[in-house]
Amino acid sequence: MSLLIYTLSLCIVLLLGLVLFAPIDVVFNVRGSLDGVHSRADVKWTIISKHFSKKNSLGNEPETEEQSFDKADKDVTGDGKGNGKDKGEDKGESDKGEEPGVRESFDDYYAKGRMVYGIRYPVLSLIKGLFSAIHIRDLSCDLDYGLPDPADTGMLCGYLHTLASVFQSGCRKFHYSLNPRFTDEGLDVKMSGDIRFRIASLLFPLLRFIFSMKVLRTGWWFVRNRGSSSSGVSV
């Protein structure tokens, strides 16, 4: 009986050691734009290999003929004798009703952005820790972007160049291209890479980030204000 328990314990320890210390190889390719994201990844762990492919489309699906007729029927409301509102009046009223909600949503995102900006140093420390633990054999990124405000586009460009220097220090082979667009909005990103890591080497930087006081306070703020609008959000 004791021999069986000893054997089972030894197998569990060996399996846990294999999970934590066996290298995992990942080859990925990501293409993204305002229309959606298409990603592919090949993961290899010891003798196990798995392929992942996912495509998320953000565009609107084309309307079917039945949906078009239903939409046309809803354009005019009333008793069927012309005593109703036309589509233009309904649209004008709906736009007026949506403006406060859009503004509240923007303010809410702005408040959340300020909270995330407050933990920028722990995030940068996490990135450095992860990239020191991950062996990056090849990494390439081409980014073409434009924000509504040209000033925000320029600020983001500076942050991205700083982030690129962090990547470059930890990569054997690294190529990147940043093309900020100050005249119009847009997004087009292409990223590919080949990395190797061990789960055990990722635990320390992750735990250090999770239990940082700033991160804990920010996480509690998001939990407390989850689902609330900007009118009920205080920073």
Side-chain angles (χ1 to χ4, degrees):
M1 185 67 179
S2 59
L3 180 61
L4 179 60
I5 296 176
Y6 175 79
T7 304
L8 290 176
S9 302
L10 182 60
C11 291
I12 293 174
V13 171
L14 290 176
L15 182 60
L16 183 61
L18 184 64
V19 171
L20 293 177
F21 296 100
I24 301 175
D25 296 318
V26 180
V27 179
F28 64 90
N29 191 302
V30 179
R31 298 173 63 93
S33 65
L34 295 178
D35 296 328
V37 179
H38 185 202
S39 59
R40 293 186 296 107
D42 295 309
V43 181
K44 185 177 181 181
W45 178 65
T46 61
I47 60 174
I48 302 174
S49 181
K50 184 68 175 179
H51 175 77
F52 300 92
S53 180
K54 189 174 182 180
K55 186 174 183 180
N56 294 331
S57 178
L58 303 179
N60 295 326
E61 297 181 357
E63 294 183 347
T64 62
E65 185 177 355
E66 183 178 353
Q67 290 174 335
S68 299
F69 281 121
D70 292 340
K71 187 176 180 180
D73 291 338
K74 294 178 182 179
D75 287 344
V76 178
T77 59
D79 57 3
K81 299 180 181 180
N83 298 326
K85 298 180 181 179
D86 58 19
K87 181 179 178 180
E89 293 177 353
D90 290 341
K91 185 176 180 181
E93 292 180 359
S94 63
D95 290 343
K96 292 180 181 178
E98 290 176 358
E99 286 179 0
V102 172
R103 181 62 188 178
E104 290 176 359
S105 178
F106 175 79
D107 292 340
D108 192 23
Y109 285 129
Y110 180 73
K112 292 177 181 179
R114 288 179 58 190
M115 296 301 299
V116 174
Y117 183 77
I119 60 170
R120 61 190 182 280
Y121 293 117
V123 171
L124 289 176
S125 178
L126 173 64
I127 293 174
K128 289 181 179 180
L130 292 178
F131 276 94
S132 63
I134 297 175
H135 180 55
I136 305 176
R137 292 179 282 195
D138 186 14
L139 184 62
S140 176
C141 180
D142 296 321
L143 178 61
D144 185 353
Y145 72 97
L147 300 178
D149 189 347
D152 293 337
T153 302
M155 291 178 59
L156 181 59
C157 184
Y159 290 135
L160 291 176
H161 277 289
T162 303
L163 186 61
S165 64
V166 176
F167 278 82
Q168 197 165 15
S169 62
C171 299
R172 178 187 298 178
K173 184 180 179 182
F174 178 63
H175 165 76
Y176 76 98
S177 174
L178 297 177
N179 183 26
R181 294 156 54 177
F182 296 96
T183 57
D184 60 341
E185 301 178 33
L187 176 65
D188 187 13
V189 58
K190 300 176 184 177
M191 181 180 293
S192 61
D194 182 2
I195 64 175
R196 167 178 284 190
F197 64 92
R198 292 175 172 84
I199 295 178
S201 60
L202 304 178
L203 293 179
F204 177 71
L206 284 173
L207 292 176
R208 184 176 59 183
F209 173 78
I210 292 172
F211 291 103
S212 170
M213 290 303 300
K214 289 185 177 180
V215 175
L216 289 175
R217 283 197 298 265
T218 303
W220 171 244
W221 183 89
F222 275 100
V223 171
R224 187 181 58 188
N225 296 280
R226 181 176 55 185
S228 63
S229 62
S230 62
S231 58
V233 172
S234 59
V235 181

